[in-house]
Amino acid sequence: MTALSVVLTTYNKPRELERALEGFRHQTFRDFEVLVCDDGSGPETRALIEAFAASAAFPVRHVWQPDDGFRAARSRNNRGAGGRASVTCS
């Protein structure tokens, strides 16, 4: 179990998502996972997350749902967090 789950919400903003993910790559604290809670983004976002996850030094999970609103995405997917604590970034 990781110490921290970072819940990051996204919706059709792959460039902004990429910048956020890259910021996590540069953290010195490494006992965390990132859950990307995706509110119905397209294939470009999925490809970005998959490529990033393949090279990240920490677990990255992509949790997708149909476009139901970011609050629903964050609420529904926060339950999948595996860390002892969680923080939400949006």
Side-chain angles (χ1 to χ4, degrees):
M1 173 182 283
T2 59
L4 182 66
S5 293
V6 178
V7 179
L8 180 61
T9 59
T10 190
Y11 175 69
N12 285 331
K13 299 277 188 186
R15 301 297 173 259
E16 289 81 354
L17 176 61
E18 183 174 26
R19 285 195 292 268
L21 289 171
E22 284 299 328
F24 293 119
R25 190 187 305 272
H26 297 286
Q27 299 301 308
T28 55
F29 178 79
R30 294 294 176 131
D31 190 12
F32 67 94
E33 66 176 354
V34 174
L35 277 72
V36 181
C37 299
D38 186 351
D39 186 35
S41 297
E44 183 180 3
T45 297
R46 177 178 295 281
L48 168 74
I49 296 166
E50 288 173 356
F52 183 86
S55 66
F58 47 87
V60 177
R61 290 192 286 150
H62 181 205
V63 186
W64 186 92
Q65 72 172 32
D67 183 5
D68 289 336
F70 81 94
R71 284 183 176 81
R74 183 175 58 203
S75 174
R76 180 179 298 136
N77 298 319
N78 197 22
R79 288 175 271 174
R84 291 187 295 275
S86 66
V87 64
T88 300
C89 299
S90 53

